[in-house]
Amino acid sequence: MRRMRAGEWLAATGAVGLLVTLCFNWFSADLHPLGWRAYAPVGAHGLTLHQTGWASLGWFLVALLVLLALGGLGIAYMTVRRTSPAWPVTTSVITVAVGAFTFLVLLVRLLTQPSLGAGLPNHLVLVEAPAYLGLLFTALIPAGAWLALADERLDAPESAYTPPPARPIPGT
């Protein structure tokens, strides 16, 4: 654990936080014009007026978020295990690329406020606090991966440079 620096901690914290916040309600519906919140089934479909991040974001975005969380946890794991420096670097590069794309997709999804599958208009759908926390954790993962890439680790014991011995001059 002493090998982990700020970037790895940031990515791992973002990954764990994202997986936890996906279990909370991200969206709800406000059916009363005065702000009364009803959390009851809608119509004959049995849909509720609140949905967790797992249920409300769609399979593609959930798959991207799980992949991103695995990347954040993978950075920390590869850094601690560290059989080769190439593994944490490769994981960080992939996580930065996937993370930037996933963050943009999630941002658009939160701004467009889904209709909760009940055909409700967008102005009745409320974005809850865990959704914004999930967006923050989604941004922390690629930010941590970026910091991990920028970390040269010059003070680590395996990074110590010992110059090669001097070569003799040819022909002497």
Side-chain angles (χ1 to χ4, degrees):
M1 294 300 262
R2 64 180 172 79
R3 291 180 190 246
M4 289 188 41
R5 303 230 177 136
E8 288 88 1
W9 282 111
L10 197 62
T13 302
V16 170
L18 178 62
L19 291 174
V20 168
T21 56
L22 280 172
C23 297
F24 292 106
N25 293 334
W26 282 40
F27 302 102
S28 64
D30 185 6
L31 296 179
H32 192 272
L34 299 176
W36 176 72
R37 286 185 147 158
Y39 294 101
V42 173
H45 301 293
L47 298 172
T48 58
L49 293 179
H50 61 90
Q51 287 186 339
T52 64
W54 296 108
S56 62
L57 296 175
W59 70 268
F60 180 70
L61 186 53
V62 168
L64 283 176
L65 290 172
V66 168
L67 181 66
L68 181 61
L70 289 176
L73 294 173
I75 291 169
Y77 175 75
M78 297 294 178
T79 301
V80 169
R81 191 157 185 278
R82 186 119 184 219
T83 55
S84 166
W87 286 102
V89 170
T90 303
T91 307
S92 296
V93 168
I94 293 170
T95 303
V96 167
V98 170
F101 176 71
T102 304
F103 176 77
L104 291 175
V105 171
L106 183 60
L107 180 65
V108 168
R109 179 71 172 176
L110 291 180
L111 291 177
T112 59
Q113 297 178 347
S115 64
L116 296 178
L120 297 173
N122 282 348
H123 70 279
L124 294 179
V125 177
L126 303 172
V127 180
E128 299 289 335
Y132 296 114
L133 273 174
L135 184 66
L136 174 70
F137 288 132
T138 303
L140 286 180
I141 298 171
W146 184 266
L147 286 174
L149 281 173
D151 189 2
E152 291 291 328
R153 297 188 185 269
L154 297 177
D155 59 342
E158 60 269 9
S159 298
Y161 175 72
T162 55
R167 298 184 340 199
I169 300 173
T172 56

